[in-house]
Amino acid sequence: MPRLDGILADTTPLRVSPPFRRLWWGLGVSNLGSQLTVVAVGLQVYALTGSTLAVGVLGIFALVPLVALGLYGGALVDAYDRRKVALLASWALWVVTGLLALQAWLDVGSVGVLYGLVALQSAAFAINNPARSAIIPRLVEPRLLPAANALQTISWSIALTVGPLLGAFLVALWGYGIAYSIDVVLFAAALWAVWRLPSIPPVLSPEDTSSELDRAPHRGTSDDVAGDEAGEPSAPRRKVVGISSVVDGLRYLATRPNVRTTFLVDLAAMILAFPRVLLPAVGVLFIGGGETTTGVLSAAFAVGAVLAGVFSGALSRVRWQGLVIAWAITAWGLSIAAFGAVLLLVGSTDPPQVLVGGLAAACIALALAGASDAVSAVFRQTILQTATPDDMRGRLQGVFIVVVAGGPRLGEVVLGAQASWFGEAWAAVAGGLACIVVVWLILRTQPRFLRYDALHPEP
């Protein structure tokens, strides 16, 4: 079925790289468990306090450690064996998840304990995520990175679709302890996958190559790890990782317009047009159905991302990746604006029952937004991985996780404020259109980004 093979997701990375295959399966299973915990923590905080604000404060306790340690975690990834960094951070995440389960079974009933554990979990994630992301270019060839990132998008989006629904179901039937305990079990898959990785020591930076080769014996890569164009792994080196390492990464980013632009356009999309904060009001005031409608709309976004990943076969053949990112984010903005237009059409009437037509139209708009975001994410990650030398990948992955986590949080503030001024419908319309205008203004100052060539990656 050659035509079908060209449309469906390219699974070549899973076939040719056993370490990547194990990592993909392990992270996919553990991501599902992580979503159970995200839902269970929110529900438990609400059950203890009866306050939506208290649930919102969870986001602050998660975001602050992530931003504070994201950059430093990336510096650690560049300085030490990535397998060891990821393994230690994964163990920390597993222990914290176990403590969440323990407090539930012991019925501790303390919101402060939950806030503290979420902060610890976020701190470990700030180190673990850059490590995992920086590992992937060492497991697959550069030409396969778009396909590998599309596969990652599929597994994450499936977890984002199924996890919240399953988490709420488990909590409703058996309580918080069961949900957390299942996460503990599922997270063992990630531990196993990282444990089975070969050693992935840091790669010599160009300025260090001559002096290091004079002092250290040559070591090649493991047989099942793909070679890296930036150089071969060096012998283990003792390094002190401090603020200067983080500053070096930021200075490098300041001189690399294409990589920097991937961050800027994503921030524009997330800050100006991220609609999650609008969904609860949509379920009550516009479409009806309350919490159920909010859940369906959230799932629609994730389903769109899953479908984009499943039918991503053509993405591995895209050459002008910067141009595709530009149009994908444009499609994102149009989809969010279309979502707002649906709300304008149905009106804020506080319907007593679900408006099926309005719900279907809103789901289609959000599914298109999810698909557009998934395509953009695949190529933003690919440019970051291929146009960045290996000795800087960890630090820039740290910046990436700060942008990915911080952008939507800021977006909730922006669209939440606009909704209070103009209403939810006009907030979505204005946000989507503003996103398009700002992204193309950014691209006008960075014309090289639109000519970014995957065959000749330039940072």
Side-chain angles (χ1 to χ4, degrees), residues 13 44 53 69 71 79 115 139 142 149 160 169 201 260 292 318 329 333 368-369 403 413 415-416 443 447 459:
Q44 189 176 6
L53 177 61
L69 289 178
L71 301 179
Y115 285 162
L139 303 182
N149 289 324
L160 202 60
F169 176 77
R260 186 174 65 249
T292 301
V318 170
I329 296 180
L368 290 173
V403 168
V413 174
L415 260 71
L443 295 175

Side-chain angles (χ1 to χ4, degrees), residues 19-413:
F20 175 76
R21 181 170 63 246
R22 289 191 292 267
L23 191 64
W24 185 78
W25 278 107
L27 295 184
V29 171
S30 68
N31 284 337
L32 178 60
S34 298
Q35 289 303 308
L36 302 184
T37 291
V38 168
V39 170
V41 168
L43 291 173
Q44 189 176 6
V45 169
Y46 188 80
L48 291 172
T49 65
S51 168
T52 301
L53 177 61
V55 179
V57 171
L58 272 173
I60 297 175
F61 277 89
L63 181 61
V64 171
L66 195 63
V67 172
L69 289 178
L71 301 179
Y72 186 73
L76 289 175
V77 171
D78 285 337
Y80 298 102
D81 188 310
R82 288 174 185 169
R83 173 186 175 273
K84 292 179 180 178
V85 174
L87 190 58
L88 289 173
S90 296
W91 274 111
L93 283 168
W94 187 75
V95 169
V96 173
T97 305
L99 292 175
L100 281 167
L102 185 62
Q103 65 82 31
W105 288 115
L106 294 178
D107 197 19
V108 173
S110 170
V111 175
V113 168
L114 289 171
Y115 285 162
L117 290 175
V118 166
L120 290 174
Q121 190 177 52
S122 184
F125 181 78
I127 297 173
N128 193 41
N129 188 271
R132 291 176 178 179
S133 299
I135 282 171
I136 291 174
R138 297 279 289 274
L139 303 182
V140 299
E141 300 175 39
R143 66 181 181 85
L144 296 177
L145 282 175
N149 289 324
L151 292 168
Q152 294 284 86
T153 297
I154 292 174
S155 64
W156 170 247
S157 299
I158 289 175
L160 202 60
T161 304
V162 177
L165 298 176
L166 182 59
F169 176 77
L170 290 171
V171 169
L173 285 184
W174 295 297
Y176 308 106
I178 288 291
Y180 295 135
S181 298
I182 291 177
D183 186 13
V184 172
V185 174
L186 295 181
F187 198 83
L191 283 173
W192 169 80
V194 176
W195 179 269
R196 289 291 308 277
L197 288 172
S199 176
I200 306 179
V203 165
L204 290 170
S205 61
E207 60 268 22
D208 291 339
T209 302
S210 59
S211 59
E212 287 288 341
L213 290 180
D214 289 339
R215 298 194 302 269
H218 174 75
R219 285 181 60 187
T221 56
S222 173
D223 290 340
D224 57 357
V225 178
D228 193 284
E229 293 180 351
E232 294 293 325
S234 69
R237 293 176 290 167
R238 294 183 59 118
K239 296 185 72 172
V240 177
V241 181
I243 191 65
S244 61
S245 297
V246 176
V247 172
D248 286 344
L250 295 175
R251 285 175 177 166
Y252 175 85
L253 179 60
T255 63
R256 298 302 185 266
N258 284 332
V259 175
R260 186 174 65 249
T261 301
T262 65
F263 295 142
L264 293 177
V265 294
D266 185 52
L267 282 172
M270 294 298 103
I271 293 175
L272 297 173
F274 189 67
R276 184 170 59 194
V277 72
L278 306 177
L279 301 187
V282 171
V284 174
L285 300 176
F286 291 85
I287 295 176
E291 294 86 352
T292 301
T293 294
T294 299
V296 170
L297 293 173
S298 299
F301 184 89
V303 167
V306 171
L307 292 176
V310 170
F311 295 101
S312 63
L315 298 187
S316 61
R317 300 187 294 274
V318 170
R319 178 174 177 180
W320 309 107
Q321 295 177 351
L323 187 62
V324 172
I325 291 172
W327 285 112
I329 296 180
T330 300
W332 159 271
L334 289 173
S335 299
I336 301 303
F339 173 66
V342 170
L343 302 183
L344 287 174
L345 289 174
V346 300
S348 178
T349 59
D350 193 10
Q353 58 187 10
V354 176
L355 303 178
V356 177
L359 178 60
C363 284
I364 291 172
L366 291 180
L368 290 173
S372 302
D373 184 57
V375 172
S376 168
V378 165
F379 289 118
R380 285 185 287 106
Q381 182 71 271
T382 299
I383 288 176
L384 177 59
Q385 291 170 337
T386 56
T388 304
D390 193 82
D391 63 295
M392 281 289 175
R393 279 183 185 141
R395 277 165 282 190
L396 293 196
Q397 287 291 347
V399 176
F400 182 85
I401 191 60
V402 169
V403 168
V404 168
R409 296 294 183 183
L410 293 174
E412 290 179 351
V413 174

